[in-house]
Amino acid sequence: MTVLPSDFAAAMERLWTVKLGNVAGPAFRELWTRMGETFHLAIRQNMKASALSIAPAWQVLAPEMGVGKTQGALLYLAMMAKASRKSSPPLRIGGLFVARTIQQCEDAASTINELAGFEAAITRHSSNAVTLRECGRFPVVVITHAAVTQSWAQSYSGTVDTYGSWEGGRRCLVIIDEALANAIEFHSVDEGSLHRVLGLRVSAEFKAKHQQAFDAVSSMLDFFKAVSSRVEEISPIWSEQDPLSSRQVDELEILFRQLVSDLKSVSSYDPIWNDPDSKNAELQHVWVTLSAIIQLFRHWALFSIQGSRKALTTGKEKVPRFFAPVVLNATANQDPVLDYRRAKLVPLPKVRSYRNLTIHILRSDGIGKTAMRNAGEARLRHLAQFVSEHTKPGDKWMVVTHLATEALARKHLPEEIALTGHWGSLDGLNDFRDCNKAVLFGLSFRDPAWPVSMYFALRGAQTKEWLRSKEAKAIRHKLEVMSIAAQVIQALGRPRSRKVIDEEGNCLPTDVFVTLPNNSVGRDVESAIREAFTGAVIRDWVYDLDGPGCHSKQKASPSAAIVTAMKNKSPGRYLISAIAKEVGLSSTETANLKDALRKKRAIVDDLKRLGVSYSVEGSGRGAKSYLVKR
């Protein structure tokens, strides 16, 4: 049994106003009605589908931020699950909700169950032991983006068959929240990664046993060197006519898999193979490199130079083959995957007014990851001074930096008034909704070859002549703008600008300071910002990234910097001296840090919540201190 759009809109208005404390008006009710109609249509399309049906265009709901699109989807699923109890199996309708992260999955399932009044939803992901049989007892299953973009999910025998039905009937509503992460999978090799595989510290007997595999890697290295000496900065090397036949690639993959399998049992005097964390890291690198070689031969190869790094790259689409999903994505206009799929943007009314949002823009060079990292300590100390000087009682700041400099930001910014985040981790977050001020410090630029790789992955490899054409130049510019605009718009929608305070859709006064490149890309991103945030006040941000020496009295927080650095690390074992150097700790601060860890002060509990422990190996002058993340 489906849910009437009018009933959904009424329920959503109650949720929005009574429980969430927002304000609604006629435009909001019209928006929620359209959402209900979209979900209803998707269900009807799936119910009528057969093996011979032609899949309709994906439907995309791209309302402005802060109008309850995710809450609305969860409410609809809860109402649908509740209504379906009135039907008998196998006529009950179920749903599948796809969220970006594991935590978002858990939050979504909890919300659905609360709204339904019974256990209607269950999550299944890498951090729990839920079986498919258990999933079959629930009308709604919540899974991650990663679950639907894995290689096994590329056909109807993957995600569709796995989650397409349950004990009550079929799951006829699939909702994907936010732009699909890793919808395009890229693989690349460079000279360093190939040398690392060839230089594995293994016995002569091991190398002899896997001589064919090592010879294949050596041949790729020779080929890479030859290409590096003769091609342009970005150039396609091969497309459909790759050097190896499908059978040869299959045989090579068998050799590589056997090599990695045998490496798992290697042990020697070398500490790499005796330490579990080091061994797993080495195995991961070897497999990433070998699988990249396989994918290069299976698809196309693009050579590119970025700074001092030269690489061969390939990519493939990993978009799930759902029949009629609904995508929730406020930045859908900036999503090349949806553009490629010719997804249908559902017409929605504009319900927000951003006249209380002021966006201050600094147009500058040197705001990419490398420049910001190289000047990180000085620039973030200077930014902390700016924040302190522009803080009034009651102000709360959101500060977004690159991943590589977030720990430095946390070191210098006062914790009581500033929250930090980094590019690539903001989509869908509500953590900053009470921040009335924000700084988007630097931008996450893509590799110059990324637009070409993305286009090749979606449309197929093109020729060298095409790369020189006006069409290619326009496409590369468009994709670069889309990538940056999507990030900036998502970030602009994270602070208090997302909260609605009246029927006109206004927010409370919010100031955001943004850095944009001083070129045509920056100008086009600014146009996208103006379109997304109707009525926002745009002003110049008069600020010098590399201003005069900082005289801020703000005390640095080394412990907060270490905790943030470890929060952003992958599982593994890290020398404390290396982490301390990364966040710019002095020798005295490093010694104080080790002392705090030994005496189990507050930082130990903060790290423990991240799954990080402190360990010391050896004794005396030869002792080494580590932070170990599980």
Side-chain angles (χ1 to χ4, degrees):
M1 179 177 291
T2 59
V3 178
L4 292 177
S6 56
D7 291 344
F8 165 70
M12 184 59 194
E13 184 170 6
R14 288 193 296 273
L15 174 67
W16 186 249
T17 56
V18 178
K19 185 174 181 179
L20 301 179
N22 291 303
V23 179
F28 283 84
R29 288 189 286 274
E30 182 184 352
L31 168 65
W32 295 326
T33 300
R34 297 271 185 87
M35 287 181 65
E37 291 170 348
T38 304
F39 296 143
H40 180 80
L41 174 60
I43 292 171
R44 301 297 297 178
Q45 289 174 326
N46 270 291
M47 290 176 68
K48 293 178 180 179
S50 69
L52 299 177
S53 299
I54 298 175
W58 286 22
Q59 296 190 91
V60 181
L61 291 169
E64 298 148 293
M65 294 187 196
V67 299
K69 68 179 187 303
T70 301
Q71 285 289 329
L74 302 180
L75 173 63
Y76 192 95
L77 287 167
M79 294 177 70
M80 184 184 71
K82 193 172 183 179
S84 289
R85 301 177 96 181
K86 299 177 183 178
S87 302
S88 300
L91 300 178
R92 292 180 177 175
I93 297 171
L96 180 68
F97 188 79
V98 186
R100 183 175 289 265
T101 67
I102 288 175
Q103 186 57 54
Q104 287 170 339
C105 285
E106 294 295 339
D107 293 343
S110 177
T111 299
I112 292 170
N113 293 335
E114 180 184 350
L115 294 171
F118 68 99
E119 283 194 282
I122 189 172
T123 64
R124 186 168 188 254
H125 48 69
S126 60
S127 294
N128 65 26
V130 173
T131 65
L132 287 175
R133 176 171 290 186
E134 288 176 282
C135 289
R137 296 189 291 106
F138 293 79
V140 180
V141 173
V142 184
I143 61 177
T144 62
H145 285 196
V148 299
T149 55
Q150 298 299 326
S151 58
W152 55 265
Q154 295 309 293
S155 68
Y156 286 104
S157 63
T159 309
V160 176
D161 282 354
T162 302
Y163 299 107
S165 61
W166 62 295
E167 290 176 3
R170 293 173 56 197
R171 290 199 175 92
C172 295
L173 178 58
V174 176
I175 300 176
I176 302 172
D177 195 23
E178 302 294 347
L180 267 175
N182 301 318
I184 305 298
E185 177 184 78
F186 293 110
H187 300 268
S188 68
V189 296
D190 57 26
E191 192 169 339
S193 64
L194 295 170
H195 272 301
R196 184 170 168 180
V197 173
L198 292 173
L200 284 172
R201 296 173 184 175
V202 291
S203 66
E205 291 79 11
F206 185 94
K207 284 207 170 183
K209 179 181 178 181
H210 297 282
Q211 193 61 55
Q212 284 183 281
F214 283 110
D215 286 347
V217 178
S218 182
S219 295
M220 175 58 80
L221 178 59
D222 291 340
F223 175 78
F224 184 89
K225 290 179 177 178
V227 169
S228 300
S229 65
R230 61 180 171 81
V231 300
E232 302 170 6
E233 184 177 357
I234 300 177
S235 180
I237 305 304
W238 65 71
S239 53
E240 299 303 322
Q241 301 300 318
D242 55 64
L244 300 182
S245 66
S246 295
R247 180 182 61 80
Q248 289 173 311
V249 178
D250 290 342
E251 292 173 352
L252 186 60
E253 183 169 3
I254 292 172
L255 292 174
F256 283 173
R257 287 188 180 277
Q258 188 61 56
L259 168 61
V260 174
S261 178
D262 288 352
L263 273 176
K264 293 177 182 178
S265 59
V266 165
S267 62
S268 73
Y269 65 89
D270 194 292
I272 281 182
W273 304 113
N274 294 321
D275 175 69
D277 294 323
S278 298
K279 185 173 184 176
N280 287 334
E282 194 69 8
L283 286 170
Q284 175 68 12
H285 176 270
V286 170
W287 177 241
V288 166
T289 301
L290 296 182
S291 60
I293 294 173
I294 294 297
Q295 295 303 323
L296 282 162
F297 285 132
R298 289 203 186 283
H299 303 289
W300 42 267
L302 182 75
F303 176 80
S304 63
I305 301 175
Q306 182 186 19
S308 61
R309 184 177 185 258
K310 301 176 181 179
L312 280 174
T313 302
T314 192
K316 64 179 179 179
E317 175 201 359
K318 295 179 64 179
V319 180
R321 305 298 196 247
F322 293 125
F323 184 77
V326 178
V327 179
L328 311 177
N329 184 359
T331 54
N333 286 330
Q334 315 301 332
D335 189 335
V337 175
L338 293 177
D339 185 49
Y340 157 72
R341 280 205 157 271
R342 295 183 174 84
K344 179 184 177 184
L345 207 60
V346 178
L348 296 173
K350 288 275 190 179
V351 300
R352 295 295 312 270
S353 167
Y354 291 101
R355 66 187 183 191
N356 291 334
L357 170 63
T358 303
I359 303 173
H360 308 258
I361 298 177
L362 171 66
R363 300 162 186 85
S364 175
D365 299 321
I367 57 174
K369 179 175 68 175
T370 300
M372 296 299 264
R373 182 175 56 202
N374 291 344
E377 187 77 40
R379 285 185 174 183
L380 287 163
R381 196 166 54 240
H382 184 44
L383 179 67
Q385 179 179 343
F386 172 83
V387 168
S388 297
E389 291 174 350
H390 290 78
T391 298
K392 297 178 182 177
D395 283 351
K396 193 79 172 180
W397 288 79
M398 173 184 90
V399 178
V400 178
T401 68
H402 296 92
L403 172 63
T405 54
E406 186 186 357
L408 281 172
R410 184 68 284 159
K411 174 184 173 183
H412 293 292
L413 291 164
E415 289 188 80
E416 64 274 14
I417 64 166
L419 301 175
T420 63
H422 60 264
W423 295 111
S425 68
L426 302 174
D427 290 16
L429 287 185
N430 285 316
D431 303 34
F432 308 101
R433 63 179 302 163
D434 295 323
C435 296
N436 63 311
K437 292 184 176 179
V439 181
L440 312 185
F441 202 56
L443 281 181
S444 182
F445 294 100
R446 298 278 192 172
D447 181 318
W450 175 83
V452 180
S453 299
M454 173 64 76
Y455 189 78
F456 280 20
L458 292 172
R459 303 287 186 182
Q462 306 295 316
T463 64
K464 293 180 182 179
E465 290 70 29
W466 179 86
L467 271 179
R468 302 188 187 100
S469 68
K470 290 183 178 179
E471 178 191 13
K473 184 177 180 180
I475 288 172
R476 291 169 67 176
H477 177 82
K478 175 185 176 182
L479 289 174
E480 185 176 5
V481 169
M482 291 172 76
S483 172
I484 296 173
Q487 295 180 69
V488 174
I489 292 170
Q490 282 285 348
L492 286 168
R494 296 305 113 205
R496 204 167 66 175
S497 53
R498 68 185 293 102
K499 188 172 177 62
V500 178
I501 61 168
D502 57 32
E503 290 191 5
E504 295 179 3
N506 285 299
C507 63
L508 288 169
T510 306
D511 282 272
V512 184
F513 299 85
V514 183
T515 54
L516 291 181
N518 189 24
N519 56 23
S520 60
V521 170
R523 290 189 289 273
D524 286 348
V525 170
E526 183 177 335
S527 296
I529 292 171
R530 291 177 182 273
E531 183 179 351
F533 295 92
T534 307
V537 178
I538 308 293
R539 292 178 179 169
D540 290 338
W541 180 17
V542 182
Y543 180 80
D544 184 356
L545 288 174
D546 302 296
C550 172
H551 303 291
S552 173
K553 297 180 180 179
Q554 179 61 42
K555 186 178 179 181
S557 179
S559 294
I562 293 294
V563 172
T564 301
M566 292 308 298
K567 179 189 71 172
N568 293 332
K569 295 292 184 186
S570 302
R573 190 175 65 157
Y574 300 90
L575 274 169
I576 288 181
S577 57
I579 300 296
K581 182 179 180 181
E582 181 182 314
V583 299
L585 300 193
S586 66
S587 57
T588 301
E589 288 172 328
T590 303
N592 290 339
L593 168 67
K594 292 179 179 179
D595 186 59
L597 290 166
R598 281 194 299 270
K599 294 179 178 178
K600 297 185 177 181
R601 291 178 179 161
I603 187 175
V604 173
D605 291 331
D606 293 337
L607 290 169
K608 188 176 180 180
R609 282 189 284 271
L610 300 174
V612 177
S613 60
Y614 168 62
S615 70
V616 179
E617 295 181 7
S619 59
R621 291 180 177 274
K624 291 186 177 180
S625 303
Y626 295 91
L627 291 176
V628 182
K629 187 172 185 179
R630 302 296 180 187

